[in-house]
Amino acid sequence: MQKKILAMLLAGGQGSRLGILTSNIAKPAVAFGGKYKIIDFAMSNCINSGIDTVGVLTQYQPLSLNRHIGIGIPWDLDKKNGGVTVLAPHVKGGESGEWYSGTANAIYQNIDYINSYNPEYVLILSGDHIYKMDYSIMLDDHIKKGSHATIAVLEVTIEEASRFGIMNTNPDGSIYEFEEKPKEPKSNLASMGIYIFNWSNLKEALIRDSKIHLDSDFGKHIIPAMLEEGLKLNAFKFDSYWKDVGTIESYWAANMELIKTLPDFNLYEDFWQIYTNSEHQPPVYTSHTSDIKTSLLSEGCEVYGKVYNSVLGPDVFVDEGAFVKDSIIMQGCVIGKGTHINRAIVDEYAKIGGNTVIGQGENLPNEDYPSYYDTGITVIGAISVVPDDVVIGKNCVILGTTSIGNYPNGILQSGKSIMIQEAVL
């Protein structure tokens, strides 16, 4: 008999390291793999795992994410009893509410929602990772071992371990210590931010910690407190594909991995489909002038030029003589005649003029945001306009409707930015 479990999906993060890709939308709403959004993977994992009650916690720039989730139809989560519920910060009494100030605080603020379903177990998820996982196997392990909490872990290299929350375990998988980004890690078992708790234990811990920490967090507060209290915590090892696409480079690289002949992460498996809320589009059209190699093209694309090693979202138009290489072109973009784009990310509904070159020159870090744009990838923001006949270097950032006057001598040197306005989707 299946136990009662409810999922809480944390989807309110800004994802600031993705730069202008998240200037107006939350990280889980960013496009991935052409037609999908990042949040689609956790949502699809839920329904594929037999979990049909999901609370999605939103906060930063939620409009696009709310539209995408809707009432949950694509994921078969449009149910009267259960289904998907979007949970934004709200007033609970008095004259004002408060923002979610930590991962555990966000769950604490929605205790009434969880109580209304009276689950035995609560699954905590992040909405900004790319992976496929059967949560029912993790739940079975949790129940079999009599755990109060089970934490999904992934083996990373010992060199990477200092970037993660690390679980130190006994030979039987029981956790005896949690270290947040240790300088000298004792193990390489990194927390994936996926937890299963007995609801009775978690509720008690949330209420208690809310009186101590205003920014109550699972990694910093709840898990260490449970260990100190002597509760039984176990690690659940996950050994398949998982990516945190939290930087421009990791986001670009994860998209590029999808176009391999035998990708590590397969979007085409019938037994574990990824669902999304996408409009019906006409088929892809490629003309006799087109040349496409090792690329992923979404519905509604029209290609008259060359597309090599690239990912195109729905309804992208690539004009004759244009050449798109090693790039991500998101939904509704127009690439002008004779334009060459190399190693770039072009966000939704941007228009790139004709005879323009993007991604040429030295690999100089961006002057304004060197920690975000330093791997040679140029990013064009959503609904931006780039004129005809300009040359744009590497690690450049462009946001807004630009004209030839914004490009000295028709050139934007590597590492430079043009930020005219914020786009609104």
Side-chain angles (χ1 to χ4, degrees):
M1 184 178 70
Q2 186 172 354
K3 301 296 183 180
K4 289 185 67 175
I5 183 169
L6 175 150
M8 296 292 277
L9 205 167
L10 299 166
Q14 179 177 353
S16 59
R17 292 179 299 161
L18 285 176
I20 59 172
L21 297 181
T22 53
S23 59
N24 287 283
I25 61 174
K27 180 181 174 183
V30 172
F32 183 85
K35 63 183 287 184
Y36 303 100
K37 305 291 187 184
I38 293 174
I39 197 173
D40 291 338
F41 297 89
M43 294 276 286
S44 297
N45 286 340
C46 284
I47 199 65
N48 287 331
S49 300
I51 299 171
D52 62 4
T53 305
V54 182
V56 180
L57 285 71
T58 63
Q59 181 156 282
Y60 172 79
Q61 298 283 16
L63 181 59
S64 179
L65 194 58
N66 292 349
R67 285 174 177 166
H68 180 69
I69 294 170
I71 59 172
I73 292 175
W75 305 274
D76 194 27
L77 289 171
D78 53 326
K79 302 179 183 297
K80 287 185 178 179
N81 183 24
V84 65
T85 303
V86 176
L87 301 166
H90 55 279
V91 175
K92 301 166 188 62
E95 298 181 354
S96 63
E98 59 185 78
W99 294 110
Y100 299 146
S101 57
T103 55
N105 175 264
I107 304 302
Y108 168 75
Q109 291 197 44
N110 288 282
I111 282 179
D112 290 345
Y113 165 78
I114 301 173
N115 276 339
S116 69
Y117 290 100
N118 190 31
E120 291 181 63
Y121 310 102
V122 172
L123 169 68
I124 309 296
L125 302 170
S126 172
D128 53 9
H129 298 136
I130 307 297
Y131 66 109
K132 295 179 183 179
M133 182 176 182
D134 189 342
Y135 304 130
S136 67
I137 298 175
M138 182 175 171
L139 177 61
D140 289 344
D141 186 73
H142 175 87
I143 296 169
K144 180 181 178 181
K145 292 181 177 178
S147 303
H148 297 102
T150 297
I151 299 162
V153 296
L154 188 75
E155 289 189 3
V156 299
T157 65
I158 202 69
E159 291 78 18
E160 293 179 296
S162 60
R163 295 173 38 232
F164 295 90
I166 297 297
M167 300 294 162
N168 297 320
T169 63
N170 297 306
D172 63 353
S174 60
I175 300 168
Y176 67 85
E177 184 181 33
F178 171 77
E179 294 183 290
E180 181 68 30
K181 298 180 180 179
K183 292 182 179 180
E184 296 182 3
K186 300 173 186 175
S187 84
N188 65 339
L189 297 179
S191 171
M192 298 168 63
I194 299 172
Y195 317 110
I196 291 179
F197 294 95
N198 297 343
W199 175 229
S200 58
N201 298 117
L202 177 59
K203 179 166 62 174
E204 182 180 333
L206 291 172
I207 293 171
R208 182 168 59 243
D209 198 67
S210 70
K211 300 172 183 177
I212 304 170
H213 303 107
L214 295 177
D215 59 345
S216 186
D217 180 87
F218 283 107
K220 295 177 182 177
H221 307 126
I222 299 298
I223 293 172
M226 284 185 163
L227 287 171
E228 188 174 335
E229 190 181 346
L231 296 184
K232 186 174 183 180
L233 276 65
N234 279 292
F236 177 81
K237 285 188 179 181
F238 181 72
D239 59 2
S240 190
Y241 184 98
W242 180 88
K243 280 292 173 69
D244 179 357
V245 289
T247 66
I248 293 292
E249 170 67 17
S250 63
Y251 172 80
W252 177 86
N255 273 273
M256 293 299 106
E257 287 176 358
L258 297 176
I259 63 177
K260 294 178 182 177
T261 303
L262 294 172
D264 295 330
F265 187 72
N266 192 345
L267 291 173
Y268 307 102
E269 294 170 329
D270 289 336
F271 69 91
W272 200 272
Q273 293 187 35
I274 303 300
Y275 304 96
T276 189
N277 185 356
S278 61
E279 299 175 356
H280 293 290
Q281 299 279 357
V284 172
Y285 175 76
T286 58
S287 81
H288 71 281
T289 61
S290 67
D291 182 14
I292 300 166
K293 294 181 180 178
T294 323
S295 294
L296 193 159
L297 275 60
S298 303
E299 298 95 329
C301 287
E302 285 185 66
V303 180
Y304 297 85
K306 295 180 179 180
V307 178
Y308 291 2
N309 305 314
S310 295
V311 176
L312 272 58
D315 201 27
V316 169
F317 181 88
V318 180
D319 210 339
E320 191 172 337
F323 186 12
V324 176
K325 182 182 178 183
D326 297 332
S327 295
I328 301 166
I329 313 296
M330 297 191 198
Q331 181 172 2
C333 290
V334 175
I335 311 301
K337 184 176 293 187
T339 284
H340 285 208
I341 300 177
N342 181 43
R343 198 172 166 86
I345 300 172
V346 183
D347 206 346
E348 297 182 354
Y349 301 103
K351 293 183 178 180
I352 312 299
N355 298 313
T356 281
V357 177
I358 298 176
Q360 177 176 294
E362 295 183 78
N363 186 16
L364 300 174
N366 188 272
E367 293 180 355
D368 300 314
Y369 311 97
S371 61
Y372 294 168
Y373 310 97
D374 62 350
T375 57
I377 301 168
T378 283
V379 183
I380 313 297
I383 323 181
S384 296
V385 176
V386 175
D388 299 340
D389 303 313
V390 298
V391 176
I392 299 168
K394 297 179 180 180
N395 295 316
C396 291
V397 182
I398 296 173
L399 181 62
T401 300
T402 66
S403 63
I404 192 66
N406 299 116
Y407 301 81
N409 300 315
I411 299 173
L412 185 65
Q413 299 287 352
S414 292
K416 301 287 186 180
S417 304
I418 302 175
M419 307 283 280
I420 291 180
Q421 63 187 32
E422 291 189 358
V424 178
L425 287 173

